[in-house]
Amino acid sequence: MSPAQIGFAILVLGAFLIIGKLVRVKVRWVQRLFLPSSIVAGALLLVLGPQVLGKLAGGPLAEAGIFTPQILEVWGALPGLLISVVFATMFLGQDLPRLSRAVTLVGPQLSLGVALGSGQYVVGLLLAILVLVPFFSATPMVGALIEVGFEGGHGTAAGMRETFQSLGFDSGADLAVGLATVGIVGGIVIGIGLINWGARTGRTEFLSGQVSASVEEQRGLFRRDEYYPAATMTSRPASVEPLALHVAICAIAILVGWAILEALRWIESATYGTTEIRDGVTLEIFGSVPLFPLALLGGVIVQAAAKALKVDHLIDHQMMLRIQGLALDFLIVSAIATLSITAIGENLATFLLLAAAGIAFTVSVFYFFAPKVIGRFWFERAIGDFGQSMGVTATGLILMRIVDPEAKSPAFEAFGYKQLVFEPFFGGGLVTAMAVPIIFFVGPWPLLIGMGILFLVSTVGGILAFGPTARREHRERAAELQRTPA
């Protein structure tokens, strides 16, 4: 494959991303669903590729649709590369608070987040053990797909494709990407429904009655008076272009993560990695762990080093967010464009059961558990975690912005600090990366027991630790409402 073919494949993605944005601006039902332009663009490419148009038209279009096999090959490789960029930029340019301070500030928020993340494993693994494996001949690894697709989102699902393939679960990535699509659409639709329910029943503190987003928000555009700078210039372009500087810093973070992963793989191969557990299969867990969670760790290390050297002011987090957003948009487009509908169709019952179980569990945790650990502003704070655990972080932020448009509650602050503790492990972190290899090598029970204990600690421990404060704040809020004239 020539460099020109690789470049052209990326140009096609860019062109369809613009088409996806035009669809978002012009089509009302797409606006009401808050579908990101990247999902729309990916769906259009999927329809025009071999999975839909190719199968319907046959003939010369059967192999790759209106595209070429080389273009599809490039698109298939992009998610695994871009997901490392997404994770490496996550903490670059941010202050890294002490763990004790973060837990003190957002203990209830962290309890809720861990309950959602660990619980999705518990539900998925129980469903796999009790139903999917014995009745649908599924692999036990399907038990990890709810967390990978819902909590991790498209980036994590597509980024783990090589891991799934190396473990003989070729359809795993397609099922996970499909679940991520269900999650992000369901997160917005169900989330807006929950916000309207909360506003009508007095559970929200800033909204009442029927809630709907503005026309500009639905179209995904800012009004001119809402424009704001995308980033801050921290170096003079005559020396080095600020964007180039930040891309280079991101590259260093990924290289640090790569070095750590290679070191772990070397240690593993030199110690327990040669241990045969069954039929010639050796216990090489890190050999199946993808790069991106270590790229996140590399970003933390680079940020900490920059702070120690007193040059952290040169790293602008907003610039890193723009790089992250660029990588994530192209990742989602290419991941959906290369999604295997056949793989989902062949495992349709498994897919539907996982999707239904994931949605039911996430809604239940939001409704029953969140108000027991979070007191004042529980709805505003919990809806962000609900959105994130159904789709991506952006989904949670959208829902929080709807329910608290002027950021009067501590929801955004608590959510942000929770991410610093939560993201290195769940939603694409180390737990997500290692869960599937662990199930493959030692079976589902050790992970189920571990996640079950963590779920109980986060729920029971959360209620014991934060429940009294939450109940007191709820009583104070109820008394305040009674004193307020109608």
Side-chain angles (χ1 to χ4, degrees):
M1 187 181 303
S2 69
Q5 290 173 320
I6 296 174
F8 185 75
I10 296 173
L11 294 178
V12 173
L13 289 181
F16 271 84
L17 193 55
I18 291 292
I19 296 172
K21 181 60 185 176
L22 291 174
V23 172
R24 170 68 183 266
V25 170
K26 297 295 184 181
V27 181
R28 288 295 299 155
W29 69 267
V30 173
Q31 295 171 13
R32 286 193 290 268
L33 290 177
F34 280 83
L35 285 179
S37 303
S38 53
I39 289 184
V40 177
L44 291 173
L45 290 171
L46 180 65
V47 169
L48 296 174
Q51 292 291 313
V52 180
L53 182 61
K55 291 186 181 298
L56 294 176
L61 298 178
E63 184 178 7
I66 67 170
F67 309 110
T68 65
Q70 291 77 17
I71 288 177
L72 296 178
E73 185 178 351
V74 173
W75 293 348
L78 278 178
L81 300 173
L82 294 177
I83 187 59
S84 293
V85 177
V86 172
F87 275 77
T89 54
M90 199 163 285
F91 296 140
L92 286 171
Q94 288 199 86
D95 290 331
L96 302 174
R98 297 188 304 275
L99 180 62
S100 59
R101 173 172 170 78
V103 172
T104 300
L105 285 176
V106 293
Q109 203 84 30
L110 188 61
S111 177
L112 175 60
V114 173
L116 286 165
S118 60
Q120 286 182 354
Y121 279 116
V122 172
V123 170
L125 288 167
L126 284 175
L127 185 61
I129 292 170
L130 299 177
V131 179
L132 300 179
V133 173
F135 295 104
F136 296 95
S137 301
T139 169
M141 288 182 281
V142 299
L145 292 183
I146 295 177
E147 199 275 347
V148 172
F150 277 23
E151 193 81 55
H154 287 90
T156 302
M160 291 189 65
R161 183 174 294 277
E162 290 187 7
T163 297
F164 285 121
Q165 291 175 341
S166 69
L167 300 176
F169 187 20
D170 291 348
S171 62
D174 295 308
L175 291 172
V177 171
L179 286 171
T181 303
V182 170
I184 197 170
V185 175
I188 290 291
V189 174
I190 298 172
I192 292 177
L194 288 172
I195 290 173
N196 279 287
W197 164 76
R200 290 194 303 271
T201 57
R203 288 173 169 82
T204 60
E205 299 211 14
F206 308 111
L207 300 175
S208 61
Q210 191 70 21
V211 177
S212 61
S214 67
V215 174
E216 288 80 8
E217 288 176 315
Q218 291 183 28
R219 298 172 71 197
L221 297 172
F222 286 113
R223 297 192 311 268
R224 291 194 178 187
D225 62 327
E226 294 179 317
Y227 288 176
Y228 64 92
T232 300
M233 305 279 279
T234 60
S235 66
R236 296 183 182 274
S239 168
V240 60
E241 168 59 39
L243 178 59
L245 173 65
H246 284 73
V247 169
I249 293 171
C250 174
I252 292 173
I254 295 173
L255 287 172
V256 170
W258 172 83
I260 294 172
L261 182 58
E262 288 300 309
L264 291 172
R265 287 173 174 173
W266 180 84
I267 293 171
E268 184 177 64
S269 65
T271 54
Y272 64 85
T274 57
T275 303
E276 183 174 327
I277 56 175
R278 67 173 186 273
D279 300 330
V281 176
T282 55
L283 188 61
E284 291 185 284
I285 294 177
F286 284 105
S288 302
V289 170
L291 172 60
F292 63 84
L294 281 304
L296 181 148
L297 181 59
V300 173
I301 292 172
V302 169
Q303 178 65 25
K307 187 173 183 61
L309 296 171
K310 301 187 185 315
V311 295
D312 55 308
H313 60 281
L314 297 177
I315 307 176
D316 177 47
H317 186 58
Q318 291 300 313
M319 185 76 81
M320 288 300 178
L321 287 179
R322 303 288 75 78
I323 297 171
Q324 181 188 84
L326 170 69
L328 187 58
D329 275 339
F330 276 82
L331 184 157
I332 292 174
V333 177
S334 56
I336 295 179
T338 55
L339 176 67
S340 173
I341 298 177
T342 302
I344 294 178
E346 292 174 349
N347 301 275
L348 186 59
T350 296
F351 176 80
L352 293 176
L353 286 171
L354 288 171
I359 292 171
F361 169 77
T362 306
V363 173
S364 298
V365 170
F366 173 85
Y367 181 82
F368 293 106
F369 177 65
K372 287 182 170 57
V373 292
I374 303 177
R376 191 70 185 268
F377 306 109
W378 80 266
F379 196 100
E380 288 79 3
R381 292 176 60 175
I383 199 68
D385 281 87
F386 168 83
Q388 180 191 24
S389 63
M390 285 284 290
V392 291
T393 301
T395 304
L397 295 175
I398 289 171
L399 295 176
M400 282 195 292
R401 184 66 65 190
I402 294 173
V403 78
D404 184 10
E406 298 181 18
K408 293 181 179 179
S409 76
F412 289 94
E413 179 184 8
F415 183 82
Y417 278 109
K418 182 220 72 174
Q419 294 295 87
L420 295 176
V421 185
F422 182 80
E423 285 289 350
F425 302 99
F426 291 95
L430 292 174
V431 173
T432 306
M434 297 185 68
V436 177
I438 287 174
I439 295 172
F440 176 80
F441 285 113
V442 299
W445 286 104
L447 184 65
L448 174 60
I449 294 170
M451 290 297 103
I453 293 172
L454 190 58
F455 179 71
L456 289 175
V457 169
S458 61
T459 52
V460 177
I463 291 173
L464 292 176
F466 310 115
T469 301
R471 289 191 294 271
R472 175 177 55 80
E473 292 183 356
H474 287 316
R475 288 194 299 269
E476 291 174 352
R477 170 64 175 162
E480 180 183 316
L481 289 175
Q482 288 180 348
R483 291 192 300 267
T484 302

